[in-house]
Amino acid sequence: MEERAVVIVGVPNGGKSTLFNRLTHTRRSITSPVRGVTRDLIKERCSSCGIEYTLIDTGGIKSVTDDVIDTAVKGKSLSVIESSSAVLLVIDGKNVSPEDEEMIEKLRPYSDKVILVVNKLDSVEQDALLWNYYAYGYSRIVGISAEHNRGINALHEHIAALVALDGRDSLDTEKTDGIRVSIMGKPNAGKSTLINAISGKDISIVSHIPGTTRDTVDAEIDKFGTHLIFTDTAGIRRKGKVTEDVEYYSVNRAISTIEDADVVILLISAEEDVSDQDKKIASLIVDRGKPIILAINKSDKWTINGAEEAYTDRLRFLFPVLSFAPIVSISAKNKTNLDVLIKKIIMLHNENHKRISTSDFNASLTRWKEKLSPARGKDGRAYKILYGTAVSVAPQEFVLFVNRTDGFPENYVSYIKNKIRAELSLAHIPIKVTLRARR
């Protein structure tokens, strides 16, 4: 299976075909109270939260059968699971049979991509039955009624999260043309000198006059077995000092390069103090989830012992939003520490594209919760994290499903963020942790 696919599996008459029709807004799959109506794989293009995939309805899987057709259906159903992006295991929430339990065990090796769909919960009163299914050990459990359109939006969210993690086809988040690096900073910080030093060519005009660079300029190099594309951007001044229309559009274009960049270098001159504009640029970069390196240029100007340490400490104080970001002292003019800078770029790119499996993330979550629990709310009720999932890379984003979001302790979310950085090898990049309520 070359494209990304979501497979619906389960025993006969669990409601798979009804769910297929509900998700695809079609009547492709025949629904009937007679068990085993669906035999062939039925495929339809589908979308969840804007993410497209192929949805496949499979024949019901019977545990024991001598029927040659049933055996073929079972083999066909199981064959597509291995190469799927996500598996919807549909069971009847009112009546779990031995066949259901056997299927639950059979799919345990694929738990990272299984969503246990508890169907036929037709009323709010029946939602309480959902808690019984956490005993089976699956992290993704959704209660629905396919017939009455209950819980379908929550199911779409889970499907989108899993499909987004599967890098296939044109929807892959990985870029194939190399690591794109945007060099940003105030005018005259040395951006053009840096891109010329890295490329070994006079690609960008170097001048002591601020604002010389107006268009974005690219330089491509191969270093340490990696292809890198550096973009020199117009220096960003605060709005009141942007006087020309050309400069206005140049600055907007410079800011837009953040979106296309894999890594951003924020270049700061060692001869100048940090400005509010530097802080605003840093916030723009972090808000977009881009890895960032603080590069202190013109470090050759330091003549006092301890000057580098003092300047670095000051940057840490002035940029609390970049507490995770590497700081590298360079001299673009003298080509000092440029290899160190490039190695940091490659390191950040690899971190930002690291995939964290759901099973590994939830195993870590369990340890972190055992070590420290969230404080209770003012009403005395406990806050609980039920489970979590890594929903995307580049940027790295995690979703924690909790019993309630209102008033959830921010310091505990910070605690989880710090643990993700420290124990999942994501220490140097921005990460986003979002809370979602699950009853």
Side-chain angles (χ1 to χ4, degrees):
M1 198 181 307
E2 295 182 355
E3 59 187 2
R4 297 192 283 191
V6 175
V7 183
I8 304 177
V9 299
V11 301
N13 221 29
K16 299 184 306 301
S17 297
T18 303
L19 177 59
F20 178 90
N21 291 342
R22 176 67 67 184
L23 292 175
T24 59
H25 305 287
T26 67
R27 293 190 177 182
R28 280 285 314 279
S29 199
I30 300 172
T31 58
S32 169
V34 178
R35 287 166 60 91
V37 170
T38 302
R39 288 177 173 174
D40 289 313
L41 303 180
I42 300 174
K43 301 180 181 181
E44 187 74 29
R45 292 300 295 171
C46 196
S47 174
S48 290
C49 303
I51 297 178
E52 294 187 353
Y53 54 90
T54 298
L55 187 65
I56 302 176
D57 187 17
T58 65
I61 300 175
K62 300 178 182 179
S63 58
V64 179
T65 179
D66 294 326
D67 189 299
V68 65
I69 294 178
D70 285 341
T71 302
V73 168
K74 180 178 180 180
K76 187 178 290 187
S77 300
L78 294 176
S79 68
V80 298
I81 291 172
E82 181 70 35
S83 55
S84 65
S85 303
V87 180
L88 309 185
L89 173 52
V90 182
I91 60 176
D92 186 335
K94 300 174 184 175
N95 181 29
V96 181
S97 67
E99 288 176 315
D100 285 316
E101 293 185 336
E102 182 179 333
M103 193 65 193
I104 288 169
E105 289 303 313
K106 190 178 293 291
L107 291 182
R108 205 165 291 284
Y110 309 100
S111 60
D112 276 359
K113 59 182 178 180
V114 170
I115 303 171
L116 185 58
V117 182
V118 183
N119 193 25
K120 303 186 181 180
L121 301 183
D122 300 329
S123 66
V124 175
E125 291 75 18
Q126 292 172 347
D127 286 345
L129 298 172
L130 188 65
W131 291 102
N132 299 327
Y133 298 93
Y134 281 96
Y136 291 113
Y138 282 91
S139 62
R140 293 182 178 87
I141 302 177
V142 184
I144 70 164
S145 171
E147 184 176 358
H148 297 99
N149 198 27
R150 298 187 73 247
I152 300 301
N153 287 339
L155 179 58
H156 273 303
E157 292 176 6
H158 281 282
I159 294 171
L162 280 176
V163 175
L165 288 173
D166 191 353
R168 311 188 199 199
D169 285 347
S170 60
L171 296 174
D172 189 6
T173 57
E174 296 277 344
K175 290 183 174 70
T176 57
D177 59 350
I179 302 175
R180 301 198 68 89
V181 184
S182 179
I183 305 174
M184 305 194 73
K186 292 187 303 182
N188 231 23
K191 299 184 299 300
S192 298
T193 304
L194 176 59
I195 198 169
N196 289 347
I198 288 172
S199 66
K201 302 174 183 177
D202 291 331
I203 290 177
S204 200
I205 299 172
V206 177
S207 170
H208 67 280
I209 302 172
T212 302
T213 301
R214 287 179 166 175
D215 211 338
T216 55
V217 180
D218 285 351
E220 300 189 33
I221 68 165
D222 291 288
K223 194 79 172 178
F224 306 117
T226 305
H227 188 63
L228 302 103
I229 305 100
F230 289 85
T231 301
D232 180 19
T233 65
I236 301 177
R237 296 193 278 183
R238 61 187 176 87
K239 192 173 182 180
K241 291 197 174 183
V242 177
T243 57
E244 299 179 41
D245 287 342
V246 173
E247 185 178 356
Y248 171 80
Y249 289 112
S250 297
V251 169
N252 281 349
R253 187 175 295 179
I255 293 173
S256 71
T257 64
I258 298 174
E259 300 293 346
D260 297 327
D262 295 303
V263 178
V264 179
I265 297 173
L266 179 53
L267 199 63
I268 297 172
S269 172
E271 294 183 311
E272 299 181 18
D273 200 1
V274 175
S275 69
D276 288 338
Q277 195 66 8
D278 290 317
K279 296 176 185 178
K280 289 177 181 177
I281 297 170
S283 294
L284 279 173
I285 297 165
V286 173
D287 287 346
R288 285 157 175 77
K290 301 295 183 178
I292 177 174
I293 298 173
L294 279 169
I296 308 171
N297 192 25
K298 307 180 184 181
S299 60
D300 54 297
K301 303 293 184 180
W302 286 325
T303 57
I304 303 172
N305 289 336
E308 180 177 356
E309 292 78 6
Y311 199 93
T312 299
D313 290 343
R314 179 162 176 75
L315 287 183
R316 289 296 183 205
F317 175 75
L318 294 173
F319 286 96
V321 71
L322 299 181
S323 59
F324 55 85
I327 298 177
V328 181
S329 299
I330 66 168
S331 171
K333 181 180 179 181
N334 297 335
K335 301 184 179 180
T336 305
N337 269 0
L338 299 189
D339 281 355
V340 174
L341 182 63
I342 293 171
K343 287 178 181 178
K344 293 290 185 184
I345 291 167
I346 297 170
M347 177 192 75
L348 293 187
H349 178 267
N350 292 340
E351 275 191 30
N352 208 34
H353 287 76
K354 180 180 179 181
R355 297 188 182 274
I356 308 296
S357 72
T358 298
S359 57
D360 287 345
F361 183 45
N362 281 282
S364 298
L365 266 180
T366 300
R367 292 197 313 273
W368 303 336
K369 290 187 294 182
E370 288 173 351
K371 187 173 182 180
L372 180 66
S373 299
R376 288 181 175 269
K378 293 180 180 180
D379 56 4
R381 294 169 56 199
Y383 289 102
K384 295 180 181 178
I385 297 177
L386 307 177
Y387 60 94
T389 184
V391 296
S392 72
V393 299
Q396 291 280 0
E397 184 173 354
F398 299 82
V399 173
L400 302 178
F401 292 90
V402 299
N403 61 336
R404 57 187 181 131
T405 57
D406 185 35
F408 197 95
E410 292 184 10
N411 61 349
Y412 195 80
V413 177
S414 297
Y415 163 73
I416 296 297
K417 270 189 178 182
N418 291 336
K419 286 296 184 182
I420 291 172
R421 293 189 190 285
E423 298 189 24
L424 300 183
S425 301
L426 300 175
H428 308 97
I429 59 172
I431 60 174
K432 183 178 180 181
V433 176
T434 304
L435 301 179
R436 290 186 188 169
R438 285 286 178 268
R439 285 186 295 182

